[in-house]
mmCIF file of all heavy atoms in Angstrom:
data_model
loop_
_atom_site.group_PDB
_atom_site.id
_atom_site.type_symbol
_atom_site.label_atom_id
_atom_site.label_comp_id
_atom_site.label_asym_id
_atom_site.label_seq_id
_atom_site.Cartn_x
_atom_site.Cartn_y
_atom_site.Cartn_z
ATOM 1 N N MET Q 66 15.803 1.071 13.741
ATOM 2 C CA MET Q 66 14.755 0.922 12.758
ATOM 3 C C MET Q 66 15.308 0.446 11.382
ATOM 4 O O MET Q 66 14.687 -0.413 10.704
ATOM 5 C CB MET Q 66 13.948 2.213 12.592
ATOM 6 C CG MET Q 66 13.129 2.513 13.810
ATOM 7 S SD MET Q 66 12.138 4.041 13.594
ATOM 8 C CE MET Q 66 10.871 3.482 12.520
ATOM 9 N N VAL Q 67 16.475 0.952 11.012
ATOM 10 C CA VAL Q 67 17.130 0.532 9.764
ATOM 11 C C VAL Q 67 17.456 -0.969 9.887
ATOM 12 O O VAL Q 67 17.173 -1.746 8.983
ATOM 13 C CB VAL Q 67 18.413 1.339 9.499
ATOM 14 C CG1 VAL Q 67 19.260 0.712 8.403
ATOM 15 C CG2 VAL Q 67 18.061 2.781 9.147
ATOM 16 N N SER Q 68 18.045 -1.375 11.027
ATOM 17 C CA SER Q 68 18.407 -2.774 11.194
ATOM 18 C C SER Q 68 17.220 -3.708 11.194
ATOM 19 O O SER Q 68 17.328 -4.859 10.833
ATOM 20 C CB SER Q 68 19.230 -2.962 12.485
ATOM 21 O OG SER Q 68 18.434 -2.813 13.592
ATOM 22 N N MET Q 69 16.050 -3.205 11.595
ATOM 23 C CA MET Q 69 14.856 -3.960 11.607
ATOM 24 C C MET Q 69 14.092 -3.975 10.297
ATOM 25 O O MET Q 69 13.054 -4.575 10.136
ATOM 26 C CB MET Q 69 13.906 -3.531 12.746
ATOM 27 C CG MET Q 69 14.521 -3.758 14.120
ATOM 28 S SD MET Q 69 14.950 -5.488 14.482
ATOM 29 C CE MET Q 69 13.341 -6.162 14.703
ATOM 30 N N GLY Q 70 14.620 -3.232 9.297
ATOM 31 C CA GLY Q 70 14.040 -3.213 7.959
ATOM 32 C C GLY Q 70 12.884 -2.233 7.771
ATOM 33 O O GLY Q 70 12.104 -2.410 6.843
ATOM 34 N N ALA Q 71 12.737 -1.255 8.665
ATOM 35 C CA ALA Q 71 11.641 -0.262 8.520
ATOM 36 C C ALA Q 71 11.909 0.541 7.271
ATOM 37 O O ALA Q 71 13.035 0.998 6.985
ATOM 38 C CB ALA Q 71 11.583 0.665 9.733
ATOM 39 N N HIS Q 72 10.848 0.756 6.477
ATOM 40 C CA HIS Q 72 10.910 1.535 5.238
ATOM 41 C C HIS Q 72 11.318 2.965 5.516
ATOM 42 O O HIS Q 72 11.075 3.519 6.579
ATOM 43 C CB HIS Q 72 9.522 1.491 4.561
ATOM 44 C CG HIS Q 72 9.531 2.081 3.221
ATOM 45 N ND1 HIS Q 72 9.391 3.433 2.978
ATOM 46 C CD2 HIS Q 72 9.654 1.511 1.989
ATOM 47 C CE1 HIS Q 72 9.410 3.664 1.653
ATOM 48 N NE2 HIS Q 72 9.569 2.502 1.053
ATOM 49 N N PHE Q 73 11.972 3.597 4.564
ATOM 50 C CA PHE Q 73 12.493 4.982 4.690
ATOM 51 C C PHE Q 73 11.363 5.931 5.126
ATOM 52 O O PHE Q 73 11.558 6.731 6.045
ATOM 53 C CB PHE Q 73 13.113 5.456 3.381
ATOM 54 C CG PHE Q 73 13.434 6.899 3.339
ATOM 55 C CD1 PHE Q 73 14.578 7.348 4.010
ATOM 56 C CD2 PHE Q 73 12.625 7.824 2.700
ATOM 57 C CE1 PHE Q 73 14.882 8.700 3.999
ATOM 58 C CE2 PHE Q 73 12.922 9.178 2.686
ATOM 59 C CZ PHE Q 73 14.049 9.602 3.353
ATOM 60 N N LEU Q 74 10.180 5.832 4.506
ATOM 61 C CA LEU Q 74 9.103 6.759 4.872
ATOM 62 C C LEU Q 74 8.622 6.546 6.266
ATOM 63 O O LEU Q 74 8.229 7.492 6.975
ATOM 64 C CB LEU Q 74 7.989 6.634 3.844
ATOM 65 C CG LEU Q 74 8.315 7.092 2.404
ATOM 66 C CD1 LEU Q 74 7.173 6.802 1.474
ATOM 67 C CD2 LEU Q 74 8.714 8.555 2.387
ATOM 68 N N VAL Q 75 8.619 5.293 6.706
ATOM 69 C CA VAL Q 75 8.216 4.979 8.074
ATOM 70 C C VAL Q 75 9.195 5.590 9.080
ATOM 71 O O VAL Q 75 8.837 6.221 10.065
ATOM 72 C CB VAL Q 75 8.117 3.440 8.291
ATOM 73 C CG1 VAL Q 75 7.867 3.109 9.759
ATOM 74 C CG2 VAL Q 75 6.990 2.903 7.421
ATOM 75 N N ARG Q 76 10.511 5.451 8.746
ATOM 76 C CA ARG Q 76 11.543 6.016 9.603
ATOM 77 C C ARG Q 76 11.410 7.537 9.639
ATOM 78 O O ARG Q 76 11.587 8.133 10.704
ATOM 79 C CB ARG Q 76 12.944 5.605 9.138
ATOM 80 C CG ARG Q 76 13.180 4.097 9.241
ATOM 81 C CD ARG Q 76 14.631 3.746 9.045
ATOM 82 N NE ARG Q 76 15.299 4.386 7.936
ATOM 83 C CZ ARG Q 76 15.448 3.856 6.702
ATOM 84 N NH1 ARG Q 76 15.003 2.658 6.453
ATOM 85 N NH2 ARG Q 76 16.082 4.504 5.748
ATOM 86 N N GLN Q 77 11.165 8.146 8.495
ATOM 87 C CA GLN Q 77 11.035 9.646 8.492
ATOM 88 C C GLN Q 77 9.896 10.106 9.324
ATOM 89 O O GLN Q 77 9.940 11.079 10.026
ATOM 90 C CB GLN Q 77 10.909 10.133 7.025
ATOM 91 C CG GLN Q 77 12.195 9.972 6.204
ATOM 92 C CD GLN Q 77 13.356 10.734 6.862
ATOM 93 O OE1 GLN Q 77 14.219 10.113 7.415
ATOM 94 N NE2 GLN Q 77 13.354 12.036 6.755
ATOM 95 N N GLU Q 78 8.766 9.406 9.178
ATOM 96 C CA GLU Q 78 7.544 9.807 9.999
ATOM 97 C C GLU Q 78 7.819 9.572 11.483
ATOM 98 O O GLU Q 78 7.443 10.416 12.297
ATOM 99 C CB GLU Q 78 6.338 8.992 9.534
ATOM 100 C CG GLU Q 78 5.077 9.352 10.308
ATOM 101 C CD GLU Q 78 4.599 10.781 10.104
ATOM 102 O OE1 GLU Q 78 4.915 11.400 9.124
ATOM 103 O OE2 GLU Q 78 3.862 11.261 10.980
#
Side-chain angles (χ1 to χ4, degrees):
M66 292 181 73
V67 168
S68 71
M69 295 302 287
H72 189 275
F73 171 77
L74 294 175
V75 172
R76 295 191 315 263
Q77 289 303 105
E78 181 63 23

